[in-house]
Amino acid sequence: MTVVNIPVETSPIVLKIPTALEINDDLFFEFCQINRDLRIERTSEGEIIIMSPTGSETGGRNFDLIYHFAKWVKQDGTGKGFDSSTGFKLPNGANRSPDVAWVKLERWQRLTRKQKRQFAPICPDFVIELCSPNDRVEDLKNKMEEYIENGARLGWLIDPDHRQVYIYRPGALVEQLDNPTTVSGESVLPGFVLTMAEIWQG
């Protein structure tokens, strides 16, 4: 077995797979399971994207995001929350793993047991992507657009280095917030308000 060592916080590695070697959903899931130390995504064109583990600062920010969001999810009770290790199969065929995701409970419950155990064939209603030092913001913006095009109702792209939050909504222009104090979940996540100070400080 070949072992590939990828340093922390490096740019993603993109593997182009020949059409003749097309990997079906079951094989892709197995591939991800035997490489659990890596975050792996697949584009709608079938390219495999291998991302390194995050650095400590980014990991701490993501932990804070999950902590605050999880409290709201448990209190609200209308949906199911997911962390960055979760993969979703989008309607366009891509496999994506947002840093934070939320699916309306009624949609989640319509999935079969097998679908829930692998990469659920569903686009989350809400997603957050947290920009780490080596991420290209433009790549993450394209990913956010993909979520919206595939059914997400609200998305946040958080750029801690520049203290900016980009808000994505279906049928609307992207809204850029510069150094906001809070960000609201609006009608999609009623009552959820994220205080940004804890995210900015890292």
Side-chain angles (χ1 to χ4, degrees), residues 4-147:
V4 179
N5 292 315
I6 300 177
V8 170
E9 295 277 17
T10 59
S11 298
I13 295 173
V14 179
L15 305 178
K16 299 180 183 295
I17 307 299
T19 304
L21 297 178
E22 182 179 353
I23 299 176
N24 63 30
D25 290 344
D26 289 337
L27 286 175
F28 180 69
F29 181 76
E30 183 178 352
F31 174 74
C32 293
Q33 296 310 294
I34 62 177
N35 293 282
R36 299 179 72 91
D37 291 338
L38 300 173
R39 287 184 62 191
I40 302 171
E41 293 184 333
R42 181 168 55 169
T43 69
S44 58
E45 291 79 27
E47 296 176 342
I48 293 178
I49 302 173
I50 300 177
M51 294 166 284
S52 64
T54 61
S56 298
E57 183 179 65
T58 302
R61 285 187 172 122
N62 204 55
F63 178 84
D64 289 336
L65 276 175
I66 291 291
Y67 170 75
H68 291 295
F69 186 59
K71 286 197 299 183
W72 176 86
V73 170
K74 296 303 181 185
Q75 292 170 359
D76 177 73
T78 64
K80 190 166 181 64
F82 302 89
D83 67 11
S84 61
S85 63
T86 310
F88 296 93
K89 176 75 176 287
L90 304 186
N92 69 350
N95 289 89
R96 297 297 187 184
S97 299
D99 288 312
V100 177
W102 181 83
V103 177
K104 194 79 172 170
L105 200 58
E106 60 201 41
R107 297 181 65 224
W108 177 253
Q109 291 175 337
R110 286 199 292 264
L111 298 176
T112 67
R113 186 72 180 276
K114 180 181 178 181
Q115 288 173 327
K116 292 176 181 178
R117 286 187 165 184
Q118 296 194 359
F119 297 138
I122 193 170
C123 181
D125 294 276
F126 170 68
V127 296
I128 300 176
E129 288 286 355
L130 178 65
C131 189
S132 62
N134 283 322
D135 283 330
R136 292 183 65 250
V137 175
E138 288 306 314
D139 290 341
L140 292 180
K141 287 181 177 180
N142 291 336
K143 191 185 292 189
M144 297 301 297
E145 295 285 359
E146 182 179 48
Y147 290 132

Side-chain angles (χ1 to χ4, degrees), residues 162-201:
H162 299 94
R163 296 199 171 195
Q164 293 174 325
V165 179
Y166 300 89
I167 311 294
Y168 290 76
R169 309 175 184 91
L173 294 175
V174 179
E175 181 181 2
Q176 177 180 317
L177 306 179
D178 295 315
N179 199 23
T181 303
T182 60
V183 183
S184 165
E186 306 172 3
S187 61
V188 178
L189 310 170
F192 177 56
V193 177
L194 180 64
T195 300
M196 299 306 298
E198 295 184 34
I199 308 302
W200 300 147
Q201 69 186 11

